Amino acid sequence: MKNYQKYKKQYFMPPVSCMKWAEKEAIEKAPIWCSVDLRDGNQSLIVPMSLDEKVEFFKFLVKVGFKEIEVGFPAASETEYNFLRTLIEQDLIPDDVTVQVLTQSREHIIKKTFESLKGAKNAVVHLYNSTSVAQREQVFRKSKEEIIEIAVSGARLLNEYTKNTEGNFKFEYSPESFTGTEMEFALEICNAVLDIWQPTPDNKVIINLPVTVSHSMPHVYASQVEYMCDNLKYRENVIVSLHPHNDRGCAVADSEMGLLAGADRIEGTLFGNGERTGNVDIVTLALNMFSQGVDPELDFENMPEVVDVYERMTGMKVYDRQPYGGKLVFAAFSGSHQDAIAKGMKWREEQDRNHWTVPYLPIDPHDIGREYESDVIRINSQSGKGGIGYLLEQNFGYSLPAKMREDFGYTVKGVSDHLHKELKPDEVYDIFKKEYVNVSAPYALIENHFAQGDEIRTTVTISVNGETKVMEGAGNGRLDAVSNALKENLGLDFTVEVYTEHALEKSSKSQAVAYVGIEANGKMSWGAGVHNDIMDASIRALLSAINRTQK
């Protein structure tokens, strides 16, 4: 591409090596979660949420389990001010939930922010100012000392207004554009703010390290976070928070590596909407932890509901392949994938019900409210015998012999390819019934009788193209006797190669199903029979296989 020379790195590595995070294997506990859906998420929408939508979304975030929820920038607009007042005056904030509000380091904004919080039981007041080289030089045109003064003057004002405002307030400071700031300066300004606030074990302070714009690979951010965690004053009384944006598509990795580097808290949104390419996706982060055996302390057990509420409130769509939430994230169309999943599910049932190791499925879809039948095994022209057979067995109770599954698989794939569409389970079942079950032309069973002697003798009545014929035969078993009767009286030439049967447990009636595979003219043909009487089912399966050779 042209013009690549105009770009250069805008991030700063720590002055010392900070790589202890790389020695850690996994995140071992959930962070403190703070939803910013109602602020960062909302300001990214083409049509921002109405007051009623915000209230509904707030209630849903509480239901999911968020204990900290950023509700807006109340001094920035009357809409956000009124939303916070509505939450407080209608007593919609549970006692164990803390609302968070954003403010710049300006006295009139801080004053209105505290006015908006009157009556709030628990609140985080989030102070920020930009610290990056680009912001200092191009936007504010101020020295480092002047930028520090903006931060500490705001910190002092928060102290003053807290003394005169009833409520339980916690402070948060963000060096906005942290990732474009020299690490020594980021540390200096954060420590200056901490010196004003003097955090204690009973009154901890949040230092938030935002990826306001993503400039680097995730390992750089992890090193930056580790440097701050190692060198912040009052560290035992500081909650280190991360607020990653997704410009480089690295927000999840930034967050996970940042937690390994010592961070305690994550600010993000459901499914990651936010300015530009968005915020970190909390659903993905939380369920990544869940898939490793860590309780995320958020409830995503009904993912279809989470998606529905999100889409209705924001007007945005959850992409079909969005991790965990998308409609197709568990869907397997590939034949080899379907076969592996089907075998993995069977192995789990037989060997280890307590642990989830099914191929291609990182978590059990049932754990987030998804169904195997409609969400996992999906049928189109790319599907294989394993998946199609699994779907037929799970949904309708038919356990086809292995070679019959292969034959039926080709039939289904042919239909899907011809129609150029995915087939739903009922459509697959309809194909099976039409093509294989109780096929009655040209030969159909009317009745049969058996007599026991040295061998089994049968009298079987068959309709042949509508004409009734009664024929007799003998054999070493009932099905063998019927086969011989058909061969001798109708001039048919075939060999029964496969026969299996089982109770049809999915049926509302007490029915049996039989499967017969015959070889005729060097080719295999398959049929199935369903009836209350297993012998009738077996003969119907045989006739179905014979009839399918006549097509």
Side-chain angles (χ1 to χ4, degrees):
M1 289 177 63
K2 297 178 181 178
N3 300 323
Y4 68 89
Q5 301 96 332
K6 76 163 85 169
Y7 300 103
K8 64 178 183 178
K9 72 175 188 178
Q10 298 184 55
Y11 62 86
F12 298 87
M13 288 293 288
V16 295
S17 176
C18 295
M19 292 290 292
K20 294 191 296 293
W21 61 267
E23 300 173 2
K24 299 178 181 178
E25 182 178 345
I27 296 166
E28 298 181 350
K29 66 176 183 177
I32 300 166
W33 300 107
C34 177
S35 162
V36 296
D37 290 88
L38 296 168
R39 202 271 302 181
D40 251 24
N42 185 56
Q43 73 180 12
S44 73
L45 304 179
I46 296 173
V47 180
M49 286 179 272
S50 67
L51 177 61
D52 288 343
E53 287 172 333
K54 281 187 172 183
V55 169
E56 182 179 348
F57 206 171
F58 178 84
K59 291 178 178 178
F60 183 72
L61 292 169
V62 170
K63 176 182 175 182
V64 166
F66 285 98
K67 300 303 181 185
E68 296 186 7
I69 302 172
E70 189 167 83
V71 295
F73 196 146
S77 73
E78 286 304 308
T79 300
E80 300 210 357
Y81 185 95
N82 290 335
F83 172 51
L84 177 54
R85 294 311 308 160
T86 298
L87 294 177
I88 295 170
E89 291 168 8
Q90 295 187 14
D91 197 22
L92 298 175
I93 307 170
D95 290 346
D96 64 344
V97 172
T98 299
V99 292
Q100 179 169 302
V101 294
L102 199 65
T103 180
Q104 293 173 332
S105 184
R106 298 181 182 180
E107 183 165 12
H108 71 285
I109 293 177
I110 292 172
K111 179 181 179 182
K112 188 165 185 179
T113 299
F114 276 89
E115 289 174 357
S116 73
L117 287 168
K118 184 179 179 181
K121 296 174 184 176
N122 300 291
V124 171
V125 183
H126 183 180
L127 175 73
Y128 75 95
N129 67 306
S130 269
T131 60
S132 69
V133 173
Q135 292 273 7
R136 295 195 320 257
E137 292 180 348
Q138 300 170 36
V139 180
F140 297 102
R141 301 193 178 190
K142 291 182 181 295
S143 66
K144 290 181 179 179
E145 291 73 23
E146 290 172 308
I147 295 296
I148 291 175
E149 181 55 32
I150 292 172
V152 297
S153 64
R156 292 189 190 100
L157 286 169
L158 262 59
N159 279 344
E160 292 177 17
Y161 278 93
T162 297
K163 293 174 184 176
N164 301 313
T165 307
E166 184 180 352
N168 179 29
F169 299 109
K170 182 182 289 185
F171 295 156
E172 175 175 353
Y173 174 68
S174 287
E176 192 202 3
S177 56
F178 165 75
T179 48
T181 304
E182 307 95 321
M183 288 299 100
E184 299 94 324
F185 180 57
L187 180 65
E188 182 182 0
I189 196 168
C190 288
N191 279 335
V193 169
L194 290 171
D195 281 338
I196 301 297
W197 284 341
Q198 294 286 313
T200 66
D202 296 327
N203 189 23
K204 293 187 177 184
V205 163
I206 301 167
I207 292 294
N208 188 52
L209 306 175
V211 184
T212 308
V213 180
S214 182
H215 293 303
S216 70
M217 294 172 68
H219 75 284
V220 172
Y221 182 58
S223 295
Q224 293 170 336
V225 171
E226 183 175 302
Y227 174 74
M228 297 294 288
C229 288
D230 285 348
N231 293 283
L232 283 169
K233 292 183 177 181
Y234 318 98
R235 179 62 183 96
E236 67 279 8
N237 300 324
V238 173
I239 297 168
V240 174
S241 177
L242 310 180
H243 185 118
H245 284 190
N246 202 38
D247 303 88
R248 291 170 54 94
C250 297
V252 169
D254 283 339
S255 299
E256 292 182 329
M257 290 188 180
L259 290 171
L260 291 178
D264 311 294
R265 182 176 183 266
I266 294 288
E267 295 185 351
T269 61
L270 300 180
F271 304 112
N273 66 300
E275 291 286 5
R276 304 184 311 279
T277 54
N279 290 55
V280 67
D281 175 355
I282 286 182
V283 171
T284 298
L285 265 182
L287 292 178
N288 280 355
M289 295 177 196
F290 179 76
S291 73
Q292 298 294 307
V294 175
D295 182 0
E297 299 177 15
L298 292 174
D299 182 1
F300 293 126
E301 292 182 7
N302 188 348
M303 187 56 64
E305 181 189 22
V306 177
V307 172
D308 174 67
V309 172
Y310 171 82
E311 291 186 336
R312 284 193 298 106
M313 294 302 101
T314 66
M316 300 185 75
K317 297 296 179 184
V318 174
Y319 171 54
D320 286 348
R321 297 291 183 182
Q322 176 89 5
Y324 303 108
K327 294 178 181 178
L328 298 180
V329 295
F330 297 112
F333 291 102
S334 160
S336 61
H337 286 208
Q338 292 176 343
D339 184 60
I341 290 170
K343 289 176 179 175
M345 297 286 283
K346 184 175 182 181
W347 186 93
R348 180 173 180 268
E349 287 293 315
E350 295 171 348
Q351 303 291 333
D352 187 2
R353 288 174 173 264
N354 296 322
H355 297 94
W356 184 263
T357 58
V358 176
Y360 298 112
L361 298 179
I363 66 172
D364 184 345
H366 277 173
D367 287 336
I368 58 171
R370 305 291 290 273
E371 298 297 328
Y372 303 137
E373 294 80 2
S374 59
D375 292 317
V376 178
I377 303 295
R378 305 283 290 269
I379 305 303
N380 65 13
S381 60
Q382 305 302 307
S383 302
K385 62 182 185 296
I388 294 170
Y390 177 81
L391 183 149
L392 202 62
E393 181 173 3
Q394 292 297 308
N395 286 33
F396 306 104
Y398 290 86
S399 180
L400 276 59
K403 289 295 183 181
M404 188 178 185
R405 285 202 305 271
E406 182 175 349
D407 187 83
F408 179 53
Y410 283 119
T411 300
V412 171
K413 290 164 67 173
V415 173
S416 176
D417 195 29
H418 176 72
L419 296 176
H420 200 62
K421 72 165 195 171
E422 178 188 355
L423 299 176
K424 302 300 182 185
D426 285 345
E427 293 175 299
V428 173
Y429 182 43
D430 287 342
I431 294 169
F432 180 66
K433 289 191 296 182
K434 178 183 177 182
E435 296 293 332
Y436 293 84
V437 179
N438 295 349
V439 181
S440 57
Y443 308 115
L445 176 66
I446 296 177
E447 63 178 2
N448 65 91
H449 301 281
F450 295 95
Q452 182 78 45
D454 293 336
E455 56 183 356
I456 302 294
R457 301 197 61 82
T458 184
T459 301
V460 57
T461 304
I462 301 291
S463 170
V464 182
N465 291 318
E467 180 183 350
T468 301
K469 290 192 175 184
V470 179
M471 53 196 75
E472 295 183 348
N476 56 17
R478 293 187 176 191
L479 191 62
D480 186 48
V482 173
S483 296
N484 291 333
L486 296 175
K487 293 176 186 178
E488 293 166 7
N489 291 275
L490 298 176
L492 299 174
D493 183 16
F494 63 86
T495 303
V496 175
E497 297 287 342
V498 178
Y499 171 80
T500 63
E501 64 183 54
H502 63 80
L504 193 56
E505 295 179 0
K506 295 280 183 178
S507 173
S508 59
K509 301 177 181 179
S510 178
Q511 291 188 308
V513 58
Y515 310 98
V516 170
I518 64 170
E519 183 180 344
N521 302 317
K523 295 181 180 180
M524 284 294 293
S525 179
W526 294 90
V530 176
H531 197 269
N532 295 339
D533 178 78
I534 185 58
M535 197 62 235
D536 269 27
S538 302
I539 297 172
R540 292 172 196 273
L542 174 63
L543 291 173
S544 293
I546 294 170
N547 286 332
R548 296 188 73 244
T549 67
Q550 307 297 306
K551 294 185 178 181

